[in-house]
Amino acid sequence: MPEGHTLHRLAGELNSSFAGRRVRVSSPQGRFAASAAELDDSTMIIAAAHGKQLFCDFDDDRILHIHLGLIGSLDLGPPVPVRGEVRVRLATPSVVADLRGPQLCAVRTPEEVAAVVATLGPDPLRADADPDLAWIRLRRSGRPIAALLMDQSVLSGVGNVYRAEVLFRNRIDPHRTGKQLTRRSWRAIWDDLVELMPIGVRDGRIDTVRPEHMPEAMGRPPRVDDHGGEVYVYRRAGQSCFVCGSRIRTEVLAGRNLFWCGRCQRRG
DNA sequence: CGAGCATGGTGAC
DNA sequence: TCACCCTGCTCGA
């Protein structure tokens, strides 16, 4: 589930339900028991995301730092009995938030959080982001753009779905290197992410298909896939490109499954 | 029931 | 580049 949009959405949900309130903190699974006891019954000030990192500020300068990783989840809802491996449960009388399978969950100091944030590239979902910081890294790199987009120290928040989709939408071959990218192309990618990712935050899913290519407009059936919205190439290997009809290709790049259209997306 | 898979990342070689 | 970590779900024996 978790690319940057998921974490920003969760930060908003946490703020609605917990900010300014006393929070019960527990670790039903036990692996976070000591830290949970330390935070229990204190006040959550505010939650915020930076890229895929989620930070919940509690009083006394204690910050709960969460990274969901590939399989982690944080589910908010009405109080229900604990089910499965719940690493951390945040609770008020009316709401619980259950954290399962996070890659990282720890209590940090403000200095430690600042150090983490300092390692991250600009986040398209943050108003304070400066795309030129990413461009400085990109422009001299011999690595493929599909790898650079996933590198959280270059820019933060983009994952495997957004990298594939933003490259398709901008007709850029994933193998083009940073050096082969023009500043103009980079700005097009960035501006597109700034447009797309807030939609993901709003809807809680990734939709990237433009109106003229939507199923209704094209006379094609809606995408049958339970894990996402309407996308052009992600997990569509072997199927027809919605724009040109050629077969969507796939390969492993930077350790992850990459999808692209060899005809629509150009090398140079 | 086990194997394989997943929108991520780390550490060892 | 690879093994491995975290959890839950699906699929095939």
Side-chain angles (χ1 to χ4, degrees):
Chain A
M1 319 277 286
E3 297 194 27
H5 70 298
T6 303
L7 284 302
H8 282 265
R9 181 178 171 86
L10 284 170
E13 293 182 3
L14 287 169
N15 283 328
S16 298
S17 296
F18 296 99
R21 294 189 168 87
R22 280 205 179 280
V23 180
R24 299 309 308 264
V25 184
S26 59
S27 179
Q29 178 199 53
R31 291 181 59 168
F32 194 68
S35 297
E38 184 187 318
L39 289 176
D40 189 27
D41 212 30
S42 51
T43 300
M44 182 185 293
I45 312 297
I46 194 169
H50 200 134
K52 299 171 189 170
Q53 317 285 331
L54 179 60
F55 301 106
C56 305
D57 293 15
F58 284 79
D59 54 17
D60 292 333
D61 278 349
R62 296 166 302 170
I63 300 157
L64 180 60
H65 177 198
I66 292 170
H67 192 294
L68 293 180
L70 183 60
I71 63 174
S73 63
L74 180 58
D75 300 308
L76 281 77
V80 288
V82 169
R83 177 179 44 75
E85 299 288 303
V86 176
R87 182 82 56 88
V88 181
R89 167 169 279 198
L90 306 177
T92 69
S94 57
V95 181
V96 300
D98 284 343
L99 176 66
R100 295 184 179 84
Q103 172 174 131
L104 184 154
C105 174
V107 179
R108 306 289 195 202
T109 65
E111 293 74 24
E112 289 169 336
V113 169
V116 170
V117 170
T119 67
L120 300 173
D123 175 352
L125 284 169
R126 292 185 63 99
D128 59 6
D130 177 4
D132 287 342
L133 294 178
W135 175 240
I136 289 168
R137 301 277 306 276
L138 289 165
R139 63 182 304 184
R140 296 192 186 286
S141 175
R143 296 161 64 203
I145 183 61
L148 292 162
L149 287 176
M150 297 275 284
D151 183 337
Q152 303 298 296
S153 67
V154 174
L155 69 163
S156 59
V158 170
N160 204 20
V161 182
Y162 280 120
R163 81 156 169 181
E165 295 298 309
V166 79
L167 290 173
F168 179 89
R169 282 170 55 100
N170 289 276
R171 301 181 148 274
I172 294 167
D173 188 292
H175 306 92
R176 221 193 283 182
T177 65
K179 282 182 206 169
Q180 292 166 339
L181 204 67
T182 61
R183 185 187 177 88
R184 181 187 180 79
S185 292
W186 162 242
R187 281 309 302 237
I189 290 172
W190 176 267
D191 291 345
D192 206 25
L193 290 169
V194 168
E195 183 181 327
L196 282 177
M197 294 182 75
I199 298 170
V201 176
R202 184 193 65 197
D203 298 341
R205 48 183 259 183
I206 298 177
D207 290 286
T208 62
V209 177
R210 297 191 172 90
E212 64 268 32
H213 301 133
M214 287 295 280
E216 314 82 75
M218 301 279 292
R220 62 174 173 85
R223 184 163 183 264
V224 181
D225 195 324
D226 58 7
H227 51 61
E230 281 290 334
V231 294
Y232 283 106
V233 292
Y234 177 69
R235 283 209 208 178
R236 295 197 60 247
Q239 300 175 43
S240 297
C241 174
F242 294 148
V243 175
C244 78
S246 70
R247 255 176 34 169
I248 301 301
R249 302 212 227 161
T250 185
E251 73 179 22
V252 174
L253 195 154
R256 309 296 299 285
N257 293 321
L258 171 70
F259 305 89
W260 81 102
C261 173
R263 189 186 294 180
C264 288
Q265 298 177 242
R266 305 196 207 292
R267 283 234 172 218

Short mmCIF file of all heavy atoms in Angstrom, two decimals, chain A residues 19-86:
data_model
loop_
_atom_site.label_atom_id
_atom_site.label_comp_id
_atom_site.label_asym_id
_atom_site.label_seq_id
_atom_site.Cartn_x
_atom_site.Cartn_y
_atom_site.Cartn_z
N ALA A 19 -4.70 14.17 17.31
CA ALA A 19 -3.94 15.38 17.64
C ALA A 19 -4.62 16.17 18.76
O ALA A 19 -5.84 16.39 18.72
CB ALA A 19 -3.78 16.26 16.40
N GLY A 20 -3.84 16.57 19.75
CA GLY A 20 -4.37 17.34 20.87
C GLY A 20 -5.07 16.49 21.92
O GLY A 20 -5.62 17.03 22.87
N ARG A 21 -5.05 15.17 21.73
CA ARG A 21 -5.75 14.30 22.68
C ARG A 21 -4.79 13.40 23.43
O ARG A 21 -3.71 13.07 22.93
CB ARG A 21 -6.74 13.41 21.92
CG ARG A 21 -7.87 14.17 21.26
CD ARG A 21 -8.91 13.17 20.73
NE ARG A 21 -10.14 13.85 20.36
CZ ARG A 21 -10.35 14.39 19.16
NH1 ARG A 21 -9.42 14.32 18.23
NH2 ARG A 21 -11.49 14.98 18.90
N ARG A 22 -5.23 12.97 24.61
CA ARG A 22 -4.48 11.94 25.32
C ARG A 22 -4.70 10.61 24.63
O ARG A 22 -5.82 10.28 24.24
CB ARG A 22 -4.96 11.84 26.77
CG ARG A 22 -4.35 12.92 27.63
CD ARG A 22 -4.31 12.49 29.10
NE ARG A 22 -3.69 13.56 29.88
CZ ARG A 22 -2.37 13.73 29.95
NH1 ARG A 22 -1.53 12.92 29.33
NH2 ARG A 22 -1.87 14.73 30.65
N VAL A 23 -3.61 9.89 24.47
CA VAL A 23 -3.66 8.67 23.67
C VAL A 23 -3.17 7.48 24.49
O VAL A 23 -2.14 7.55 25.16
CB VAL A 23 -2.78 8.82 22.41
CG1 VAL A 23 -2.82 7.56 21.57
CG2 VAL A 23 -3.22 10.03 21.58
N ARG A 24 -3.93 6.42 24.41
CA ARG A 24 -3.46 5.15 24.99
C ARG A 24 -2.57 4.49 23.95
O ARG A 24 -2.94 4.38 22.78
CB ARG A 24 -4.65 4.22 25.33
CG ARG A 24 -5.63 4.78 26.35
CD ARG A 24 -4.96 5.28 27.62
NE ARG A 24 -4.05 4.35 28.26
CZ ARG A 24 -4.35 3.54 29.27
NH1 ARG A 24 -5.57 3.54 29.75
NH2 ARG A 24 -3.43 2.74 29.79
N VAL A 25 -1.40 4.07 24.38
CA VAL A 25 -0.44 3.44 23.47
C VAL A 25 -0.08 2.07 24.03
O VAL A 25 0.33 1.96 25.19
CB VAL A 25 0.84 4.28 23.32
CG1 VAL A 25 1.79 3.64 22.30
CG2 VAL A 25 0.51 5.71 22.91
N SER A 26 -0.27 1.04 23.21
CA SER A 26 0.04 -0.32 23.67
C SER A 26 0.66 -1.11 22.53
O SER A 26 0.66 -0.68 21.38
CB SER A 26 -1.24 -1.02 24.15
OG SER A 26 -2.18 -1.07 23.08
N SER A 27 1.20 -2.27 22.90
CA SER A 27 1.80 -3.14 21.90
C SER A 27 1.28 -4.56 22.10
O SER A 27 1.93 -5.38 22.74
CB SER A 27 3.33 -3.12 22.00
OG SER A 27 3.91 -4.00 21.04
N PRO A 28 0.08 -4.83 21.56
CA PRO A 28 -0.52 -6.16 21.76
C PRO A 28 0.42 -7.29 21.40
O PRO A 28 0.48 -8.32 22.06
CB PRO A 28 -1.74 -6.13 20.83
CG PRO A 28 -2.09 -4.67 20.73
CD PRO A 28 -0.77 -3.94 20.76
N GLN A 29 1.21 -7.10 20.37
CA GLN A 29 2.16 -8.11 19.93
C GLN A 29 3.33 -8.23 20.89
O GLN A 29 3.96 -9.28 20.99
CB GLN A 29 2.65 -7.74 18.52
CG GLN A 29 3.69 -8.67 17.92
CD GLN A 29 4.43 -7.98 16.80
OE1 GLN A 29 4.97 -6.90 16.96
NE2 GLN A 29 4.46 -8.62 15.65
N GLY A 30 3.67 -7.12 21.55
CA GLY A 30 4.74 -7.15 22.54
C GLY A 30 6.08 -6.62 22.08
O GLY A 30 6.92 -6.26 22.89
N ARG A 31 6.29 -6.55 20.77
CA ARG A 31 7.62 -6.16 20.28
C ARG A 31 7.93 -4.69 20.49
O ARG A 31 9.06 -4.26 20.28
CB ARG A 31 7.75 -6.51 18.79
CG ARG A 31 7.78 -7.99 18.55
CD ARG A 31 7.94 -8.32 17.09
NE ARG A 31 9.15 -7.77 16.50
CZ ARG A 31 9.62 -8.12 15.31
NH1 ARG A 31 9.00 -9.03 14.60
NH2 ARG A 31 10.70 -7.57 14.83
N PHE A 32 6.94 -3.91 20.85
CA PHE A 32 7.15 -2.48 21.09
C PHE A 32 6.71 -2.12 22.51
O PHE A 32 6.45 -0.97 22.83
CB PHE A 32 6.33 -1.69 20.06
CG PHE A 32 6.68 -0.23 19.94
CD1 PHE A 32 7.89 0.18 19.42
CD2 PHE A 32 5.77 0.75 20.35
CE1 PHE A 32 8.21 1.53 19.29
CE2 PHE A 32 6.09 2.10 20.22
CZ PHE A 32 7.31 2.49 19.69
N ALA A 33 6.65 -3.12 23.37
CA ALA A 33 6.02 -2.94 24.69
C ALA A 33 6.68 -1.85 25.53
O ALA A 33 5.99 -1.01 26.12
CB ALA A 33 6.01 -4.27 25.44
N ALA A 34 7.99 -1.84 25.62
CA ALA A 34 8.68 -0.89 26.49
C ALA A 34 8.43 0.54 26.03
O ALA A 34 8.10 1.43 26.84
CB ALA A 34 10.17 -1.18 26.51
N SER A 35 8.56 0.79 24.73
CA SER A 35 8.34 2.14 24.21
C SER A 35 6.88 2.55 24.30
O SER A 35 6.56 3.72 24.53
CB SER A 35 8.81 2.21 22.75
OG SER A 35 10.19 1.96 22.68
N ALA A 36 5.99 1.58 24.13
CA ALA A 36 4.56 1.88 24.22
C ALA A 36 4.23 2.35 25.62
O ALA A 36 3.49 3.33 25.80
CB ALA A 36 3.75 0.65 23.85
N ALA A 37 4.79 1.69 26.62
CA ALA A 37 4.54 2.07 28.02
C ALA A 37 5.04 3.48 28.28
O ALA A 37 4.41 4.26 29.02
CB ALA A 37 5.23 1.07 28.96
N GLU A 38 6.14 3.81 27.64
CA GLU A 38 6.74 5.14 27.80
C GLU A 38 5.83 6.23 27.22
O GLU A 38 5.74 7.33 27.77
CB GLU A 38 8.08 5.09 27.06
CG GLU A 38 8.97 6.30 27.13
CD GLU A 38 10.15 6.12 26.19
OE1 GLU A 38 10.72 5.00 26.14
OE2 GLU A 38 10.48 7.08 25.48
N LEU A 39 5.16 5.93 26.11
CA LEU A 39 4.30 6.92 25.46
C LEU A 39 2.88 6.91 25.98
O LEU A 39 2.12 7.87 25.78
CB LEU A 39 4.25 6.66 23.94
CG LEU A 39 5.50 6.95 23.12
CD1 LEU A 39 5.27 6.54 21.66
CD2 LEU A 39 5.87 8.43 23.20
N ASP A 40 2.50 5.84 26.64
CA ASP A 40 1.10 5.65 27.02
C ASP A 40 0.57 6.82 27.85
O ASP A 40 1.25 7.34 28.72
CB ASP A 40 0.96 4.36 27.82
CG ASP A 40 -0.49 4.00 28.04
OD1 ASP A 40 -1.34 4.40 27.22
OD2 ASP A 40 -0.77 3.33 29.05
N ASP A 41 -0.65 7.22 27.50
CA ASP A 41 -1.36 8.26 28.24
C ASP A 41 -0.72 9.64 28.13
O ASP A 41 -0.90 10.50 28.98
CB ASP A 41 -1.48 7.87 29.72
CG ASP A 41 -2.77 8.42 30.32
OD1 ASP A 41 -3.75 8.56 29.57
OD2 ASP A 41 -2.78 8.71 31.52
N SER A 42 0.04 9.86 27.05
CA SER A 42 0.53 11.22 26.81
C SER A 42 -0.23 11.82 25.63
O SER A 42 -1.07 11.16 25.01
CB SER A 42 2.05 11.22 26.56
OG SER A 42 2.39 10.29 25.58
N THR A 43 0.06 13.07 25.33
CA THR A 43 -0.72 13.79 24.33
C THR A 43 -0.01 13.81 22.98
O THR A 43 1.18 14.13 22.91
CB THR A 43 -0.94 15.25 24.79
OG1 THR A 43 -1.65 15.24 26.02
CG2 THR A 43 -1.75 16.04 23.75
N MET A 44 -0.74 13.45 21.94
CA MET A 44 -0.17 13.59 20.61
C MET A 44 -0.37 15.03 20.14
O MET A 44 -1.50 15.54 20.15
CB MET A 44 -0.82 12.63 19.60
CG MET A 44 -0.17 12.75 18.22
SD MET A 44 -0.95 11.78 16.92
CE MET A 44 -0.59 10.12 17.47
N ILE A 45 0.73 15.65 19.74
CA ILE A 45 0.65 17.04 19.30
C ILE A 45 0.19 17.11 17.85
O ILE A 45 -0.79 17.76 17.51
CB ILE A 45 2.03 17.74 19.43
CG1 ILE A 45 2.64 17.48 20.80
CG2 ILE A 45 1.90 19.23 19.12
CD1 ILE A 45 1.88 18.03 21.96
N ILE A 46 0.96 16.43 16.99
CA ILE A 46 0.66 16.49 15.56
C ILE A 46 1.38 15.34 14.85
O ILE A 46 2.40 14.86 15.32
CB ILE A 46 1.09 17.85 14.96
CG1 ILE A 46 0.48 18.06 13.57
CG2 ILE A 46 2.62 17.96 14.92
CD1 ILE A 46 0.66 19.48 13.04
N ALA A 47 0.82 14.92 13.71
CA ALA A 47 1.47 13.92 12.87
C ALA A 47 1.82 14.56 11.54
O ALA A 47 1.11 15.45 11.06
CB ALA A 47 0.55 12.72 12.66
N ALA A 48 2.92 14.11 10.94
CA ALA A 48 3.32 14.63 9.63
C ALA A 48 4.12 13.57 8.89
O ALA A 48 4.76 12.72 9.50
CB ALA A 48 4.15 15.90 9.79
N ALA A 49 4.06 13.64 7.56
CA ALA A 49 4.83 12.70 6.74
C ALA A 49 5.89 13.46 5.97
O ALA A 49 5.70 14.63 5.59
CB ALA A 49 3.91 11.97 5.77
N HIS A 50 7.02 12.78 5.77
CA HIS A 50 8.04 13.31 4.86
C HIS A 50 8.47 12.15 3.98
O HIS A 50 9.11 11.22 4.45
CB HIS A 50 9.23 13.88 5.65
CG HIS A 50 10.04 14.83 4.85
ND1 HIS A 50 10.47 16.05 5.30
CD2 HIS A 50 10.47 14.74 3.57
CE1 HIS A 50 11.16 16.66 4.35
NE2 HIS A 50 11.18 15.88 3.30
N GLY A 51 8.08 12.20 2.72
CA GLY A 51 8.28 11.03 1.88
C GLY A 51 7.50 9.86 2.46
O GLY A 51 6.32 10.00 2.78
N LYS A 52 8.15 8.72 2.64
CA LYS A 52 7.48 7.54 3.19
C LYS A 52 7.65 7.43 4.69
O LYS A 52 7.25 6.42 5.28
CB LYS A 52 8.01 6.29 2.48
CG LYS A 52 7.75 6.28 0.97
CD LYS A 52 8.47 5.14 0.29
CE LYS A 52 8.38 5.30 -1.22
NZ LYS A 52 9.26 4.34 -1.92
N GLN A 53 8.28 8.44 5.30
CA GLN A 53 8.45 8.44 6.76
C GLN A 53 7.25 9.12 7.40
O GLN A 53 6.78 10.15 6.92
CB GLN A 53 9.71 9.21 7.16
CG GLN A 53 10.93 8.95 6.31
CD GLN A 53 11.59 7.63 6.58
OE1 GLN A 53 11.53 7.11 7.69
NE2 GLN A 53 12.22 7.06 5.55
N LEU A 54 6.78 8.54 8.51
CA LEU A 54 5.67 9.12 9.26
C LEU A 54 6.13 9.46 10.67
O LEU A 54 6.75 8.63 11.33
CB LEU A 54 4.52 8.11 9.31
CG LEU A 54 3.25 8.51 10.06
CD1 LEU A 54 2.61 9.75 9.45
CD2 LEU A 54 2.26 7.35 10.06
N PHE A 55 5.84 10.69 11.09
CA PHE A 55 6.26 11.13 12.42
C PHE A 55 5.05 11.59 13.22
O PHE A 55 4.29 12.45 12.76
CB PHE A 55 7.25 12.30 12.30
CG PHE A 55 8.49 11.97 11.50
CD1 PHE A 55 8.66 12.48 10.22
CD2 PHE A 55 9.47 11.15 12.04
CE1 PHE A 55 9.80 12.17 9.48
CE2 PHE A 55 10.62 10.84 11.30
CZ PHE A 55 10.78 11.35 10.02
N CYS A 56 4.90 11.05 14.43
CA CYS A 56 3.85 11.49 15.35
C CYS A 56 4.51 12.14 16.55
O CYS A 56 5.15 11.45 17.35
CB CYS A 56 3.01 10.31 15.83
SG CYS A 56 2.29 9.33 14.55
N ASP A 57 4.32 13.43 16.67
CA ASP A 57 4.92 14.15 17.80
C ASP A 57 4.05 14.00 19.04
O ASP A 57 2.87 14.34 19.01
CB ASP A 57 5.04 15.64 17.47
CG ASP A 57 6.03 15.92 16.35
OD1 ASP A 57 6.42 14.96 15.65
OD2 ASP A 57 6.42 17.09 16.19
N PHE A 58 4.67 13.53 20.11
CA PHE A 58 4.01 13.49 21.41
C PHE A 58 4.62 14.58 22.30
O PHE A 58 5.63 15.20 21.94
CB PHE A 58 4.18 12.11 22.06
CG PHE A 58 3.29 11.06 21.45
CD1 PHE A 58 3.64 10.45 20.24
CD2 PHE A 58 2.11 10.69 22.07
CE1 PHE A 58 2.81 9.50 19.68
CE2 PHE A 58 1.28 9.74 21.51
CZ PHE A 58 1.63 9.14 20.31
N ASP A 59 3.98 14.81 23.44
CA ASP A 59 4.52 15.83 24.34
C ASP A 59 5.90 15.41 24.86
O ASP A 59 6.33 14.26 24.66
CB ASP A 59 3.53 16.13 25.48
CG ASP A 59 3.12 14.89 26.23
OD1 ASP A 59 3.81 13.85 26.12
OD2 ASP A 59 2.09 14.93 26.92
N ASP A 60 6.60 16.33 25.46
CA ASP A 60 7.95 16.09 25.97
C ASP A 60 8.95 15.69 24.88
O ASP A 60 9.87 14.91 25.12
CB ASP A 60 7.95 15.01 27.07
CG ASP A 60 7.24 15.49 28.33
OD1 ASP A 60 7.22 16.72 28.55
OD2 ASP A 60 6.70 14.65 29.06
N ASP A 61 8.74 16.23 23.67
CA ASP A 61 9.71 16.02 22.59
C ASP A 61 9.97 14.56 22.26
O ASP A 61 11.08 14.18 21.90
CB ASP A 61 11.06 16.69 22.95
CG ASP A 61 11.03 18.18 22.62
OD1 ASP A 61 10.08 18.62 21.95
OD2 ASP A 61 11.97 18.88 23.03
N ARG A 62 8.91 13.76 22.36
CA ARG A 62 9.06 12.35 21.97
C ARG A 62 8.30 12.15 20.66
O ARG A 62 7.13 12.54 20.55
CB ARG A 62 8.52 11.44 23.06
CG ARG A 62 9.31 11.57 24.35
CD ARG A 62 8.57 10.94 25.49
NE ARG A 62 7.26 11.54 25.65
CZ ARG A 62 6.32 11.04 26.45
NH1 ARG A 62 6.55 9.95 27.14
NH2 ARG A 62 5.15 11.64 26.53
N ILE A 63 8.98 11.58 19.70
CA ILE A 63 8.38 11.44 18.37
C ILE A 63 8.34 9.97 17.97
O ILE A 63 9.38 9.29 17.96
CB ILE A 63 9.19 12.25 17.34
CG1 ILE A 63 9.19 13.74 17.75
CG2 ILE A 63 8.61 12.07 15.94
CD1 ILE A 63 10.34 14.52 17.18
N LEU A 64 7.13 9.53 17.66
CA LEU A 64 6.99 8.16 17.17
C LEU A 64 7.29 8.15 15.67
O LEU A 64 6.60 8.81 14.89
CB LEU A 64 5.56 7.66 17.44
CG LEU A 64 5.25 6.23 17.00
CD1 LEU A 64 6.14 5.21 17.69
CD2 LEU A 64 3.77 5.92 17.26
N HIS A 65 8.33 7.44 15.29
CA HIS A 65 8.79 7.38 13.90
C HIS A 65 8.39 6.03 13.31
O HIS A 65 8.78 4.99 13.81
CB HIS A 65 10.32 7.55 13.89
CG HIS A 65 10.92 7.44 12.52
ND1 HIS A 65 12.26 7.20 12.31
CD2 HIS A 65 10.37 7.55 11.28
CE1 HIS A 65 12.51 7.18 11.02
NE2 HIS A 65 11.38 7.37 10.37
N ILE A 66 7.58 6.09 12.25
CA ILE A 66 7.08 4.87 11.62
C ILE A 66 7.47 4.84 10.15
O ILE A 66 7.36 5.84 9.45
CB ILE A 66 5.53 4.80 11.74
CG1 ILE A 66 5.12 4.60 13.21
CG2 ILE A 66 4.96 3.68 10.86
CD1 ILE A 66 3.62 4.76 13.45
N HIS A 67 7.95 3.68 9.72
CA HIS A 67 8.13 3.44 8.28
C HIS A 67 7.46 2.12 7.96
O HIS A 67 7.83 1.09 8.50
CB HIS A 67 9.61 3.41 7.90
CG HIS A 67 9.81 3.46 6.41
ND1 HIS A 67 9.39 2.46 5.58
CD2 HIS A 67 10.32 4.42 5.61
CE1 HIS A 67 9.67 2.79 4.33
NE2 HIS A 67 10.23 3.97 4.33
N LEU A 68 6.46 2.14 7.10
CA LEU A 68 5.66 0.94 6.86
C LEU A 68 6.41 -0.12 6.06
O LEU A 68 6.10 -1.31 6.15
CB LEU A 68 4.36 1.30 6.13
CG LEU A 68 3.36 2.14 6.93
CD1 LEU A 68 2.14 2.42 6.07
CD2 LEU A 68 2.96 1.45 8.22
N GLY A 69 7.39 0.30 5.26
CA GLY A 69 8.05 -0.67 4.40
C GLY A 69 7.09 -1.19 3.35
O GLY A 69 6.10 -0.54 3.00
N LEU A 70 7.37 -2.38 2.85
CA LEU A 70 6.57 -2.93 1.76
C LEU A 70 5.23 -3.48 2.23
O LEU A 70 4.21 -3.35 1.56
CB LEU A 70 7.37 -4.05 1.07
CG LEU A 70 6.76 -4.72 -0.14
CD1 LEU A 70 6.51 -3.71 -1.24
CD2 LEU A 70 7.67 -5.83 -0.64
N ILE A 71 5.23 -4.07 3.40
CA ILE A 71 4.04 -4.82 3.83
C ILE A 71 3.34 -4.23 5.04
O ILE A 71 2.33 -4.76 5.48
CB ILE A 71 4.41 -6.29 4.14
CG1 ILE A 71 5.39 -6.33 5.31
CG2 ILE A 71 4.97 -6.97 2.92
CD1 ILE A 71 5.69 -7.73 5.78
N GLY A 72 3.88 -3.15 5.57
CA GLY A 72 3.27 -2.57 6.76
C GLY A 72 1.93 -1.93 6.49
O GLY A 72 1.61 -1.54 5.35
N SER A 73 1.12 -1.79 7.55
CA SER A 73 -0.16 -1.09 7.41
C SER A 73 -0.50 -0.39 8.71
O SER A 73 -0.08 -0.81 9.79
CB SER A 73 -1.27 -2.07 7.04
OG SER A 73 -1.46 -3.02 8.08
N LEU A 74 -1.25 0.69 8.58
CA LEU A 74 -1.76 1.40 9.74
C LEU A 74 -3.23 1.66 9.47
O LEU A 74 -3.58 2.39 8.53
CB LEU A 74 -0.99 2.72 9.93
CG LEU A 74 -1.40 3.59 11.11
CD1 LEU A 74 -1.25 2.84 12.43
CD2 LEU A 74 -0.56 4.86 11.15
N ASP A 75 -4.08 1.03 10.26
CA ASP A 75 -5.51 1.09 10.01
C ASP A 75 -6.24 1.81 11.13
O ASP A 75 -6.16 1.40 12.28
CB ASP A 75 -6.08 -0.33 9.87
CG ASP A 75 -5.43 -1.08 8.72
OD1 ASP A 75 -5.40 -0.53 7.60
OD2 ASP A 75 -4.93 -2.20 8.94
N LEU A 76 -6.97 2.86 10.79
CA LEU A 76 -7.76 3.59 11.77
C LEU A 76 -9.23 3.21 11.66
O LEU A 76 -9.73 3.01 10.55
CB LEU A 76 -7.63 5.11 11.54
CG LEU A 76 -6.35 5.77 12.08
CD1 LEU A 76 -5.17 5.48 11.18
CD2 LEU A 76 -6.55 7.26 12.26
N GLY A 77 -9.87 3.12 12.81
CA GLY A 77 -11.28 2.79 12.78
C GLY A 77 -11.85 2.76 14.18
O GLY A 77 -11.16 3.06 15.15
N PRO A 78 -13.12 2.38 14.29
CA PRO A 78 -13.75 2.28 15.60
C PRO A 78 -13.09 1.17 16.41
O PRO A 78 -12.48 0.27 15.84
CB PRO A 78 -15.21 1.93 15.27
CG PRO A 78 -15.16 1.35 13.90
CD PRO A 78 -14.02 2.01 13.20
N PRO A 79 -13.19 1.26 17.74
CA PRO A 79 -12.55 0.24 18.58
C PRO A 79 -13.05 -1.16 18.24
O PRO A 79 -14.26 -1.40 18.19
CB PRO A 79 -12.96 0.64 20.00
CG PRO A 79 -13.28 2.10 19.91
CD PRO A 79 -13.85 2.30 18.53
N VAL A 80 -12.11 -2.06 17.98
CA VAL A 80 -12.44 -3.46 17.71
C VAL A 80 -11.40 -4.31 18.43
O VAL A 80 -10.33 -3.82 18.76
CB VAL A 80 -12.37 -3.77 16.19
CG1 VAL A 80 -13.53 -3.14 15.45
CG2 VAL A 80 -11.04 -3.32 15.60
N PRO A 81 -11.73 -5.57 18.68
CA PRO A 81 -10.73 -6.44 19.31
C PRO A 81 -9.48 -6.54 18.44
O PRO A 81 -9.57 -6.47 17.21
CB PRO A 81 -11.44 -7.79 19.40
CG PRO A 81 -12.90 -7.47 19.33
CD PRO A 81 -13.01 -6.25 18.46
N VAL A 82 -8.34 -6.73 19.07
CA VAL A 82 -7.09 -6.88 18.32
C VAL A 82 -7.14 -8.15 17.47
O VAL A 82 -7.57 -9.20 17.92
CB VAL A 82 -5.89 -6.97 19.30
CG1 VAL A 82 -4.63 -7.38 18.55
CG2 VAL A 82 -5.69 -5.62 19.99
N ARG A 83 -6.72 -7.99 16.22
CA ARG A 83 -6.69 -9.13 15.31
C ARG A 83 -5.34 -9.15 14.61
O ARG A 83 -4.88 -8.14 14.09
CB ARG A 83 -7.83 -8.98 14.30
CG ARG A 83 -7.92 -10.02 13.23
CD ARG A 83 -9.13 -9.74 12.32
NE ARG A 83 -9.24 -8.33 11.96
CZ ARG A 83 -8.44 -7.73 11.08
NH1 ARG A 83 -7.49 -8.39 10.46
NH2 ARG A 83 -8.60 -6.44 10.81
N GLY A 84 -4.68 -10.31 14.61
CA GLY A 84 -3.39 -10.42 13.94
C GLY A 84 -2.27 -9.83 14.77
O GLY A 84 -2.40 -9.61 15.97
N GLU A 85 -1.15 -9.56 14.09
CA GLU A 85 0.06 -9.08 14.76
C GLU A 85 0.05 -7.56 14.83
O GLU A 85 0.51 -6.91 13.89
CB GLU A 85 1.28 -9.57 13.99
CG GLU A 85 1.41 -11.08 13.91
CD GLU A 85 1.82 -11.67 15.24
OE1 GLU A 85 2.86 -11.28 15.78
OE2 GLU A 85 1.06 -12.53 15.75
N VAL A 86 -0.46 -7.02 15.92
CA VAL A 86 -0.52 -5.57 16.06
C VAL A 86 0.68 -5.07 16.87
O VAL A 86 0.75 -5.27 18.08
CB VAL A 86 -1.84 -5.11 16.71
CG1 VAL A 86 -1.83 -3.60 16.93
CG2 VAL A 86 -3.02 -5.51 15.82
#
